[in-house]
Amino acid sequence: MDQEVPPPSPNRRPVDRRSTKMQAQNPSRRSFPRTKDMDDEMALTRIGLAGLAVMGQNLALNIAEKGFPISVYNRTTSKVDETVQRAKAEGNLPLYGFHDPASFVNSIQKPRVVIMLVKAGAPVDQTIATLAAHLEQGDCIIDGGNEWYENTERREKAMAERGLLYLGMGVSGGEEGARNGPSLMPGGSFEAYKYIEDILLKVAAQVPDSGPCVTYIGKGGSGNFVKMVHNGIEYGDMQLIAEAYDVLKSVGKLTNSELHQVFSEWNKGELLSFLIEITADIFGIKDDQGDGYLVDKVLDKTGMKGTGKWTVQQAAELSVAAPTIEASLDSRFLSGLKDERVEASKIFQGDYSTGLPVDKSQLIEDVRQALYASKICSYAQGMNIIKAKSSEKGWGLNLGELARIWKGGCIIRAIFLDRIKKAYDRNPDLANLLVDPEFAQEIMDRQAAWRRVVCLAINNGVSTPGMSASLAYFDSYRRDRLPANLVQAQRDYFGAHTYQRVDMPGSFHTEWFKIARSNSQN
């Protein structure tokens, strides 16, 4: 396939001329097929990308569109050709495809930087091995997938032993974000980050009042960890929106047309966000293969790729309460039991509704307020997980800066994030988002509506695990005394685990059994 040499670009680092001349003298190492007008000194691309599934293709095109010549490679060569054709069709972008890893790596200017976008786990290790065989000291590999953070830290150490730099970079925004501007969360080698900072600043989503949605997250696997928790918050957000829909539809009897109008209106106020926007769109789509609306034909069975589960596992290991995110994960597990649920519905037949009339306009307003209050709890839990891990690992993560880079490009982007950033700007050591003065007032203003929605749902047999868990989280957090005293007394009774007292210091143990038996005999 004939390809043109990429033109000089102001966005490129100075080319290593020794490498360029060596390639001109050694045809087997040439970056591109020769053309009639090619000079002996061949131009090299600024960066490479390996892994051309949906995210990889779109990110590569985004980089090329921003003026950075890019080399691309994929084990399945048809994906390479497909990406090259897209680059031509979308503006003759400076993107160049290679069918073998050696030519791919050698087409990139030194120090070389290669982004990988492949499935997490073993495929990442396999791709690293393929690339590293052709990389040289000082070159850099960036993993842009949803990888477990400890794998990134293991690979960073292994690469350092070979003189290579390594970054684990969360990329959020899906297909559209990758193509037009994602939220980027790079963590690991700061030196590696500086290699490509200029690229990332242009490729990331641009928010007018706060800048590019990218920042150096921190050391080790912090970038992957932050992206993982971002996804956990996303789970919570999606579940809460689904519950709002369920209450409005099942109790309020709103039609899809009405739901479309409600969510469109909500997207103009404090709930303005990507997820609310696409939800409004979904309710307006008619079924092109039958009557009615498409959303009603979608099977009620939610898939997942693991990041939500990792978030919940980390919350447990860090002893951080995250009931809203946990409820969203449990809801996905339960949704997977479709056949069991169908059979259970036959056993537990009956009308669970109260039959009482519902004021639609009041219900819509109450659900809006309940959704917003629950959302605060979900984000508070996610931020607390990040804060706890940052403290454990010594990452020194800036929570306000994370809120800033999530304002654009990513799935959880929302106007709400600007308020979170301001909360952490006011107090970087904020114990919990709930106690920020502004958020505390907002929750207090909305709690009556929140309680009405949860009670109404329960009384009508509609499950709202996310909203209920969020309300329970708030109610537990706001109380100065919980029934945990009884639980600790039980632990001391059967396991001699001791307890502390409210009226004097120290640890105590009581022979509860003996005293109870003695009392029963008197």
Side-chain angles (χ1 to χ4, degrees):
M1 183 184 300
D2 290 335
Q3 301 181 48
E4 297 178 355
V5 179
S9 166
N11 293 321
R12 292 175 56 199
R13 297 194 306 272
V15 174
D16 184 330
R17 293 298 175 189
R18 291 171 301 169
S19 170
T20 307
K21 290 178 180 177
M22 178 177 65
Q23 289 186 25
Q25 294 162 5
N26 183 356
S28 67
R29 289 177 56 88
R30 287 174 184 155
S31 301
F32 310 105
R34 301 287 290 182
T35 63
K36 291 181 181 178
D37 302 321
M38 183 178 288
D39 295 329
D40 281 342
E41 287 198 352
M42 300 166 55
L44 302 177
T45 60
R46 173 72 162 79
I47 192 170
L49 189 145
L52 297 173
V54 173
M55 289 292 287
Q57 274 197 28
N58 283 285
L59 186 61
L61 292 165
N62 183 356
I63 292 170
E65 189 173 61
K66 297 304 188 294
F68 301 99
I70 183 171
S71 302
V72 298
Y73 165 76
N74 195 82
R75 191 173 60 176
T76 304
T77 57
S78 60
K79 287 287 187 183
V80 176
D81 298 339
E82 178 186 318
T83 308
V84 169
Q85 290 304 314
R86 279 191 64 187
K88 288 182 178 178
E90 295 181 22
N92 210 24
L93 304 176
L95 181 148
Y96 306 88
F98 297 87
H99 290 175
D100 69 279
S103 297
F104 165 67
V105 169
N106 290 325
S107 72
I108 306 164
Q109 69 178 63
K110 295 180 180 180
R112 304 181 184 95
V113 178
V114 179
I115 299 174
M116 299 181 298
L117 273 163
V118 297
K119 188 176 179 181
V124 174
D125 289 311
Q126 292 161 5
T127 305
I128 289 173
T130 298
L131 297 173
H134 307 285
L135 294 172
E136 300 174 12
Q137 187 167 349
D139 291 346
C140 172
I141 297 176
I142 301 171
D143 179 9
N146 284 328
E147 185 56 272
W148 175 240
Y149 81 99
E150 289 181 335
N151 285 342
T152 295
E153 295 187 337
R154 166 178 60 81
R155 290 168 184 145
E156 184 183 9
K157 289 178 182 176
M159 291 300 99
E161 291 173 1
R162 302 177 65 162
L164 301 176
L165 304 180
Y166 196 82
L167 277 178
M169 181 172 70
V171 179
S172 179
E175 179 180 355
E176 187 271 339
R179 181 64 184 86
N180 299 305
S183 175
L184 299 170
M185 294 154 256
S189 165
F190 183 69
E191 184 182 355
Y193 172 73
K194 296 306 288 186
Y195 275 7
I196 60 162
E197 183 179 35
D198 60 328
I199 297 179
L200 300 184
L201 288 172
K202 288 194 174 184
V203 166
Q206 309 291 317
V207 176
D209 62 343
S210 60
C213 292
V214 60
T215 190
Y216 174 70
I217 300 296
K219 297 179 292 185
S222 59
N224 291 121
F225 190 89
V226 166
K227 174 56 164 60
M228 176 196 77
V229 177
H230 161 285
N231 286 17
I233 294 171
E234 179 185 309
Y235 272 49
D237 234 352
M238 294 172 73
Q239 177 63 28
L240 292 170
I241 292 171
E243 291 173 19
Y245 152 65
D246 197 9
V247 171
L248 292 175
K249 180 181 179 181
S250 300
V251 182
K253 308 301 180 185
L254 271 70
T255 64
N256 286 320
S257 178
E258 290 173 318
L259 288 165
H260 171 71
Q261 293 174 347
V262 166
F263 277 80
S264 296
E265 191 63 32
W266 284 357
N267 200 46
K268 297 174 184 176
E270 64 189 11
L271 289 173
L272 188 155
S273 63
F274 173 71
L275 286 171
I276 293 292
E277 178 186 353
I278 67 169
T279 301
D281 288 346
I282 287 168
F283 290 131
I285 305 297
K286 295 285 186 70
D287 183 9
D288 61 352
Q289 299 187 49
D291 296 329
Y293 288 82
L294 182 56
V295 68
D296 298 324
K297 308 293 177 64
V298 177
L299 182 67
D300 54 323
K301 191 173 180 179
T302 309
M304 67 190 87
K305 292 188 175 179
T307 46
K309 181 163 69 174
W310 289 349
T311 303
V312 171
Q313 289 171 335
Q314 279 296 291
E317 288 192 15
L318 294 164
S319 300
V320 174
T324 309
I325 298 173
E326 291 166 14
S328 69
L329 182 65
D330 288 341
S331 294
R332 293 197 182 196
F333 292 152
L334 281 165
S335 78
L337 304 177
K338 176 64 175 178
D339 294 340
E340 289 183 40
R341 289 188 289 110
V342 170
E343 291 305 311
S345 70
K346 297 173 184 175
I347 297 170
F348 302 109
Q349 288 183 11
D351 184 1
Y352 288 87
S353 67
T354 61
L356 298 174
V358 175
D359 182 331
K360 272 191 181 183
S361 60
Q362 183 62 54
L363 178 63
I364 290 168
E365 177 58 19
D366 281 355
V367 171
R368 182 187 68 80
Q369 294 190 38
L371 176 56
Y372 186 81
S374 298
K375 186 183 178 83
I376 294 173
C377 292
S378 183
Y379 279 73
Q381 293 160 28
M383 288 300 194
N384 283 350
I385 295 170
I386 292 173
K387 182 172 67 172
K389 179 57 76 171
S390 177
S391 177
E392 177 188 271
K393 301 285 287 186
W395 286 337
L397 303 186
N398 183 328
L399 299 183
E401 184 69 352
L402 298 185
R404 182 192 70 77
I405 67 169
W406 290 345
K407 284 173 61 179
C410 70
I411 303 302
I412 64 171
R413 62 184 182 266
I415 193 171
F416 171 77
L417 282 157
D418 192 51
R419 311 184 77 163
I420 294 179
K421 180 186 184 301
K422 289 176 180 176
Y424 285 111
D425 286 347
R426 283 191 290 270
N427 181 5
D429 299 319
L430 193 63
N432 190 304
L433 206 54
L434 299 184
V435 297
D436 171 75
E438 287 195 10
F439 279 120
Q441 188 59 53
E442 290 184 331
I443 281 195
M444 292 299 289
D445 292 343
R446 290 159 179 75
Q447 67 167 324
W450 196 5
R451 297 181 193 284
R452 283 195 297 270
V453 170
V454 171
C455 289
L456 183 67
I458 291 171
N459 290 335
N460 283 273
V462 175
S463 60
T464 52
M467 287 187 182
S468 299
S470 295
L471 182 56
Y473 177 75
F474 167 68
D475 278 336
S476 294
Y477 193 69
R478 69 175 177 80
R479 294 183 64 191
D480 65 347
R481 186 164 174 84
L482 291 169
N485 57 315
L486 177 59
V487 175
Q488 192 60 24
Q490 292 169 336
R491 295 182 74 242
D492 189 52
Y493 188 118
F494 65 69
H497 292 293
T498 74
Y499 59 90
Q500 295 174 299
R501 294 178 60 103
V502 296
D503 54 352
M504 60 184 72
S507 295
F508 299 85
H509 169 60
T510 296
E511 297 289 344
W512 303 86
F513 177 79
K514 290 181 180 180
I515 296 172
R517 290 300 171 270
S518 174
N519 289 343
S520 66
Q521 291 170 6
N522 294 332

